[in-house]
């Protein structure tokens, strides 16, 4: 995953959860720390994140993103 892709996921997650602040954990945090991360660190296609102000368990953001995407495709 590239930084631009991570930024897209963060914008989508923020819009869906209606949260302005998200915490990214795991391997994708490297994209936010290094200007040019090694290629070996760009392999993962998943992002682990949660809303910073509401870290309590909630429906998996990925499920919400997929649902929103499916609804948009069904209702163009």
């Amino acid at each position: 995953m590239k930084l631009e892709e991570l930024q897209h996921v963060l914008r989508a997650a923020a819009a869906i959860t209606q949260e302005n602040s998200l915490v990214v954990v795991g391997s994708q945090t490297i994209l936010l720390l290094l200007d040019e991360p090694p290629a070996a660190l760009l392999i993962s296609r998943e992002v682990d994140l949660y809303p910073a102000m509401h870290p309590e368990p909630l429906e998996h953001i990925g499920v919400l993103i997929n649902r929103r995407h499916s609804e948009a495709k069904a209702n163009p």
Side-chain angles (χ1 to χ4, degrees):
M1 178 175 293
K2 296 180 181 178
L3 178 59
E4 298 80 24
E5 294 168 313
L6 175 59
Q7 290 170 333
H8 174 76
V9 169
L10 293 175
R11 284 190 300 273
I16 289 168
T17 61
Q18 298 181 350
E19 294 285 339
N20 293 323
S21 184
L22 300 165
V23 176
V24 178
V25 295
S27 62
Q28 296 305 335
T29 57
I30 198 73
L31 298 175
L32 302 169
L33 301 173
L34 298 178
D35 290 333
E36 295 185 33
L41 299 177
L42 303 176
I43 295 171
S44 179
R45 304 298 301 159
E46 297 180 357
V47 180
D48 299 312
L49 57 89
Y50 61 89
M53 304 309 287
H54 299 97
E56 63 272 358
L58 58 122
E59 190 172 1
H60 192 271
I61 292 173
V63 171
L64 293 172
I65 291 171
N66 289 333
R67 183 179 304 145
R68 188 70 60 91
H69 179 70
S70 296
E71 290 171 358
K73 285 175 67 176
N75 302 307

